[in-house]
Amino acid sequence: MNLLLHVWREACRHIEISESVERIAPMLERRLPLDRLLIRSLNVQRSYVETVACGAGGRAAEAGESRTSCGAEAIGVLLAWCSQGEIVHGPAETVRTQLPGAVPADVAGDILAGGLCGHEGPIGLAVFVAPAGRTFEAGHAALAKALLEPFGRALENDRRLQEMRRLREAAEADRRALLTRLG
């Protein structure tokens, strides 16, 4: 599967996941009826799901609603589902009912969604949105399932990058505070 190789390359080539998804979405449009591709990150401690990357075929992606608040129960449902590595397919409203918080409120149409896992477990989800009036088929769901691993690695790398930035900023703030105290 040549497409999967190209997806892996792009997922690993860029530091920021938004760059990867921006480049991967047009590639996927050749094999999927794709309006938007959303990569959403799970924040278990604060009980929300946030869109961290959005790609859209050959046009500019509309980020839309980026953060969806969830209760602890909804986060638990998402974590259990993500661990299974299964694809959910259906209209946006059905997927929202089945997986609260997975699909942003401003997304409509046919959806494929799959959980993304890192080395330590579930970290997010990929949401494939079909253009208005089009639907995904069984072959599309199989392709989406194959794409979960590269997107999971890209999201995990992006999370590590964000953590390194936070740590560097905290260390720099500590250094400045220490220099101020020393005069």
Side-chain angles (χ1 to χ4, degrees):
M1 180 180 268
N2 204 13
L3 175 64
L4 194 54
L5 176 63
H6 290 299
V7 169
W8 268 107
R9 277 190 193 145
E10 289 298 326
C12 296
R13 180 177 290 166
H14 305 283
I15 293 174
E16 303 271 341
I17 193 170
S18 57
E19 291 176 38
S20 297
V21 171
E22 214 172 89
R23 296 196 195 278
I24 291 170
M27 285 192 257
L28 297 180
E29 194 175 47
R30 297 179 201 130
R31 300 274 302 275
L32 293 169
L34 189 65
D35 182 53
R36 274 194 285 178
L37 167 60
L38 306 173
I39 302 298
R40 308 200 77 210
S41 179
L42 290 168
N43 189 318
V44 177
Q45 291 79 22
R46 295 192 176 133
S47 297
Y48 68 79
V49 182
E50 182 174 32
T51 301
V52 293
C54 180
R59 59 184 176 73
E62 301 166 21
E65 177 190 336
S66 77
R67 190 175 285 182
T68 306
S69 294
C70 304
E73 185 178 325
I75 288 289
V77 168
L78 288 173
L79 288 171
W81 168 73
C82 285
S83 297
Q84 296 171 358
E86 294 300 316
I87 295 291
V88 170
H89 176 218
E93 286 304 316
T94 303
V95 175
R96 268 190 214 96
T97 302
Q98 208 173 353
L99 300 169
V103 180
D106 63 337
V107 172
D110 201 39
I111 301 288
L112 287 173
L116 303 176
C117 291
H119 290 306
E120 296 179 13
I123 57 172
L125 49 131
V127 178
F128 301 84
V129 183
R134 298 201 49 203
T135 59
F136 293 111
E137 298 169 5
H140 299 140
L143 176 59
K145 187 170 183 171
L147 295 168
L148 296 180
E149 189 176 2
F151 285 130
R153 295 296 177 248
L155 180 57
E156 187 172 45
N157 289 341
D158 188 70
R159 282 183 158 199
R160 287 181 181 149
L161 178 68
Q162 299 305 325
E163 181 62 22
M164 286 178 11
R165 283 183 183 153
R166 280 191 292 274
L167 291 172
R168 187 180 68 232
E169 288 170 4
E172 182 61 28
D174 286 347
R175 185 184 74 81
R176 283 191 305 266
L178 185 57
L179 288 173
T180 301
R181 277 189 236 145
L182 293 173

